[in-house]
C-alpha cells in the first residue's frame, strides 16, 4: 500500500474522498451527450478528481492552479482525453493500423501520440480500445484491431507499451485505459450500445484475451463498457470488475466508467434510481464516475444509509490517488504543463514522418488484375476521380479529436508531386451521398482522356466510429452510379477505398482492375497512398477483419466451428446459403503484393511433444516476383478432436519479413503447450492430448498444412 496516499487519505473528509472519484468534462471538447451541468466550482472545493476534454498546456495549468491553490488539501487534478490514433498529428485509424501486422509500427504510433498529447499537458488517454468485433455494421470496429483475439492481444500489448512507456512519471507518456470492459464489440444486430448475449466460453475464449493482455502489459486503468452482458450492465458487473479483473487477473489499477455510464443504468432497468445506480456501481468495483456526477451527488447519502461502505469509498479514492502519485503530480502538479515544450513538440516533423511510415504499411492490396498497379511514373495521363480526391477532413477518420484538417496532405497534391511527368486530371465527380449527378459529365470526360483511372471513394469520417452503425455497408448509391458511368469508358480502373469498416464490395470487385483498401490514414494519407500507387512502396498490409460478400452473411469470421453438417455446395442439407458461398469476399489475413510469394511444405523438428516441450515449425518463403516485398507469414493451429467443439483453425503466430525479389527466407515458429490451451468442457483452461492441424501461409485460407501430436 502506498504510504503517501494512505497518510493523505487519513486527512481527507468523506466529501473529499468521494470527490476524487468524480470525473467531469470541461466542455472544451464534447465526446458524448451534452449536459448543462458545470462542476468547475466543485473542483475548487476538492470535490472533483479530474477533468477530461480540457486541452492546451496553458488552460490546463490555470485549471490545475485553481484547484491546487484553493482546495483545502491541494490535491492535483488528473486530465484525460480521447487520444485514440493521434493528437495534433493524426495516424491511421486503429483498424487500419492493425492491418500493418507490424507491432513496432503500432507501438511507434502509440508512443508518438502519447508524447504529443503529454506535451500539451494531458495525463491520461482513453485508449486502447481492444474490443474484438465480427460485425462490420458496428461503426466502432474502426477503433479496434479486428476479429482475432491472438492478434488483438499482441496489438493491445504494443499500444500499452507505446502509451505508458517504462515510467508513468515520464512526462513524455500517458496513462493508458483499456476499453470497453467487456465484449462491447459484440452488440446484437451490430447496433451500438446494444445488449451482448454470449456464453462464458465464448467470452473467455474470444473476447476477454485482449483486455487481459493489456492488463498483463501493465495498463493502469480500465473502462467499463456501455452494454449489458447476459442482462447485467457492465457498469455494475461485479463478476467482471472484481471477480475476473481484480481477483483472477490481479489488476490493481483504477476502473472508470464510460461517459454517463452510471446515469444510464436507469435505462437498463436494473436500478431503482440514480442513488441505487451509484451504490451498485461502486460496490461492483467502479472507482471513478465519468460525467454522471452520481458519486458526487449520492455517495454520501448512500454511505449514511448503509448502502455502501467506507471500504468501498476508500478503495475508489485510493485507486484514483495512486494514479496521480504514479504520474508524479504530488511532487509537481504542473510538471506536464510546460508551454515551451509544447511549442517544440506539437506537430513536430518526426510525428508526421512516423504517421507516413505507419500509413504506408496499413494499406491493403485487395485486387490487382493484369498488374494495373503500380502505376508507372511515366504514365501520360491519370484521371483522379471521386469525393476523396481533394478532400482533407475525411482522411482524419473517426475520433480524430484534436486533429485538424490543415495537417492533412490530400491525395491530389501528393499525386502531383509523385507523378511529376504525368498530366493529372482531378474531378470530384460526386459528393459522398445525395443524388447530385451534375459533375458526372466532367468525371467521365476526364476518364476518356486518361491512360488509367484512379477513383477515390468511400465513407466520410463520421460514418464510422461511435453511434455510426449501419444496415447497408455498401458504397453510397451516388458513388456506385458514378463508378458505373466511368466504367463505360473502358479504361484501366483502380479503386482507392477510404473507410473505417469492412464494406460489401461484390460489385466493385467485378468492375475494377485493382482495389486498394486505404482506410482513413490520417495526416499523411496523400503521400502514403501516392507512394503505394506508384510502387515506391510495395503494399504489405493484411486484413484483420473479414469483408463479407453481403450483409446477410454477418457476422462472418475465419475461426468458426465446423458444425455437424459443414458446408458442402453439392449437398443441400448442410450449413450453407443457397445464394452465396459461406466464405467472405476477402478473408482475415488476406492481402496481396506487387510481387508474389511461394511457401514450401512445413517441416517440424519433431512430430510430437509433451506439455513441457515444444515443436519448431519452419517454412521457406520465396519471393517469386520482380519487386522486393514484405510478407506477413501466419501460423494457424486447429485441434482435431477436443472435449468441446473447436475452431477449424486459429491464429497462433505471425512474423512480418522482408524478402528481396528472387530470394528465399526461412521462417520458424515455436509451438508450446500454451498455444494449445482452451476452455474445456469443465471451463478449465488447459490443453488436451491428441492430434493438431498446423497451417502456415499468407492468409487464414491457406491450405499449407501438416499434423503434430501432443502427448
Amino acid at each position: 500500500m502506498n504510504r503517501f496516499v494512505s497518510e493523505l487519505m487519513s486527512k481527507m473528509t468523506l466529501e473529499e474522498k468521494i470527490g476524487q472519484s468524480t470525473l467531469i468534462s470541461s466542455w472544451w471538447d464534447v465526446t458524448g451527450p451534452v449536459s448543462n451541468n458545470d462542476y468547475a466550482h466543485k473542483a475548487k472545493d476538492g470535490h472533483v478528481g479530474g477533468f477530461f476534454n480540457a486541452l492546451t498546456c496553458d488552460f490546463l495549468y490555470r485549471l490545475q492552479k485553481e484547484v491546487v491553490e484553493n482546495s483545502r488539501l491541494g490535491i492535483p487534478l488528473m486530465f484525460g482525453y480521447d487520444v485514440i490514433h493521434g493528437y495534433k498529428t493524426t495516424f491511421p485509424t486503429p483498424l487500419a493500423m492493425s492491418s500493418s501486422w507490424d507491432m513496432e509500427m503500432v507501438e511507434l504510433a502509440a508512443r508518438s501520440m502519447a508524447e504529443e498529447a503529454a506535451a500539451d499537458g494531458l495525463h491520461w488517454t482513453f485508449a486502447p480500445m481492444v474490443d474484438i468485433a465480427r460485425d462490420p455494421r458496428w461503426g466502432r470496429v474502426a477503433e479496434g484491431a479486428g476479429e482475432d483475439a491472438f492478434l488483438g492481444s499482441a496489438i493491445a500489448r504494443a499500444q500499452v507499451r507505446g502509451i505508458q512507456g517504462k515510467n508513468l512519471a515520464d512526462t513524455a507518456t500517458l496513462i493508458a485505459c483499456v476499453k470497453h470492459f467487456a465484449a462491447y464489440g459484440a452488440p446484437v444486430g451490430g447496433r451500438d450500445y446494444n445488449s451482448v448475449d454470449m456464453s462464458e466460453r465464448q467470452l473467455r475464449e474470444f473476447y476477454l484475451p485482449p483486455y487481459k493482455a493489456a492488463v498483463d502489459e501493465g495498463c493502469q486503468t480500465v473502462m467499463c463498457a456501455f452494454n449489458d452482458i447476459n442482462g447485467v450492465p457492465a457498469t455494475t458487473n461485479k463478476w467482471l470488475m472484481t471477480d475476473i479483473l481484480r481477483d483472477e487477473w490481479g489488476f490493481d489499477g483504477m476502473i472508470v466508467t464510460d461517459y454517463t455510464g452510471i446515469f444510464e443504468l436507469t435505462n437498463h432497468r436494473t436500478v431503482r434510481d440514480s442513488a441505487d445506480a451509484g451504490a451498485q456501481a461502486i460496490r461492483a468495483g467502479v472507482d471513478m464516475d465519468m460525467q454522471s456526477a452520481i458519486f458526487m451527488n449520492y455517495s454520501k447519502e448512500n454511505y449514511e444509509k448503509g448502502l455502501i461502505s467506507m471500504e468501498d469509498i476508500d478503495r475508489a479514492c485510493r485507486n484514483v490517488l495512486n494514479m496521480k502519485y504514479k504520474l508524479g503530480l504530488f511532487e509537481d502538479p504542473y510538471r506536464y504543463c510546460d508551454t515551451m515544450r509544447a511549442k517544440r513538440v506539437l506537430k513536430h516533423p518526426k510525428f508526421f514522418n512516423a504517421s507516413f511510415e505507419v500509413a504506408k504499411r496499413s494499406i491493403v492490396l485487395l485486387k490487382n488484375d493484369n498488374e494495373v498497379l503500380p502505376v508507372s511514373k511515366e504514365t501520360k495521363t491519370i484521371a483522379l476521380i471521386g469525393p476523396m480526391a481533394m478532400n482533407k477532413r475525411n482522411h482524419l477518420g473517426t475520433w480524430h479529436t484534436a486533429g485538424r484538417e490543415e495537417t492533412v496532405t490530400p491525395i491530389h497534391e501528393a499525386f502531383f508531386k509523385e507523378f511529376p511527368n504525368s498530366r493529372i486530371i482531378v474531378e470530384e465527380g460526386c459528393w459522398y451521398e445525395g443524388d447530385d449527378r451534375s459533375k458526372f459529365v466532367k468525371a467521365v470526360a476526364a476518364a476518356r482522356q486518361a491512360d488509367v483511372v484512379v477513383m477515390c471513394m468511400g465513407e466520410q469520417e463520421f460514418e464510422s466510429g461511435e453511434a455510426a452503425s449501419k444496415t447497408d455497408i455498401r458504397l453510397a448509391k451516388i458513388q456506385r452510379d458514378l463508378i458505373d458511368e466511368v466504367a463505360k469508358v473502358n479504361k484501366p480502373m483502380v479503386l482507392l477505398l477510404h473507410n473505417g469498416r469492412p464494406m460489401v464490395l461484390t460489385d466493385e470487385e467485378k468492375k475494377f482492375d485493382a482495389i486498394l483498401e486505404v482506410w482513413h490514414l490520417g495526416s499523411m494519407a496523400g503521400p502514403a497512398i501516392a507512394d503505394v500507387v506508384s510502387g515506391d512502396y510495395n503494399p504489405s498490409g493484411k486484413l484483420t477483419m473479414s469483408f463479407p460478400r453481403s450483409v446477410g452473411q454477418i457476422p462472418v469470421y475465419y475461426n468458426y466451428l465446423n458444425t455437424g453438417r459443414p458446408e458442402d455446395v453439392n449437398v443441400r442439407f448442410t450449413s450453407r446459403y443457397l445464394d452465396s458461398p459461406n466464405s467472405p469476399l476477402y478473408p482475415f489475413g488476406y492481402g496481396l503484393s506487387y510481387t508474389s510469394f511461394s511457401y514450401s511444405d512445413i517441416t517440424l523438428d519433431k512430430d510430437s511433444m509433451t506439455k513441457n516441450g515444444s515443436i519448431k515449425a519452419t517454412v521457406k518463403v520465396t519471393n517469386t516476383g520482380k519487386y522486393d516485398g514484405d510478407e506477413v507469414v501466419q501460423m494457424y493451429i486447429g485441434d482435431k478432436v477436443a472435449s468441446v467443439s473447436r475452431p477449424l483453425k486459429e491464429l497462433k503466430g505471425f512474423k512480418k519479413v522482408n524478402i528481396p525479389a528472387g530470394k528465399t527466407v526461412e521462417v520458424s515458429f515455436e509451438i508450446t503447450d500454451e498455444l494449445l490451451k482452451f476452455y474445456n468442457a469443465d471451463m478449465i483452461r488447459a490443453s488436451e492430448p491428441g492430434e493438431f492441424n498446423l497451417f502456415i501461409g499468407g492468409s487464414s485460407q491457406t491450405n499449407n498444412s501438416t499434423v503434430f501430436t501432443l502427448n
Side-chain angles (χ1 to χ4, degrees), residues 693-705:
N693 290 319
L694 173 67
F695 305 84
I696 301 179
S699 85
S700 61
Q701 289 189 339
T702 181
N703 291 316
N704 188 32
S705 65

Side-chain angles (χ1 to χ4, degrees), residues 112-158:
S112 299
M113 74 182 196
E115 182 181 350
E116 197 177 25
D120 214 16
L122 291 168
H123 308 135
W124 183 23
T125 176
F126 307 123
M129 190 195 96
V130 301
D131 301 313
I132 294 300
R134 295 169 164 180
D135 191 333
R137 293 174 299 180
W138 187 53
R140 297 196 82 166
V141 301
E143 295 175 54
E147 69 187 54
D148 182 74
F150 185 89
L151 178 61
S153 296
I155 290 173
R157 288 190 290 268

Side-chain angles (χ1 to χ4, degrees), residues 636-656:
Y636 298 83
I637 297 176
D639 202 333
K640 294 184 78 170
V641 178
S643 59
V644 296
S645 186
R646 302 285 297 130
L648 288 175
K649 61 177 68 169
E650 295 177 284
L651 182 71
K652 292 297 181 180
F654 61 92
K655 292 183 179 180
K656 192 166 189 175

Side-chain angles (χ1 to χ4, degrees), residues 29-44:
D29 194 5
V30 176
T31 56
V34 175
S35 160
N36 292 321
N37 295 326
D38 180 6
Y39 293 103
H41 65 284
K42 291 278 191 180
K44 294 182 183 179

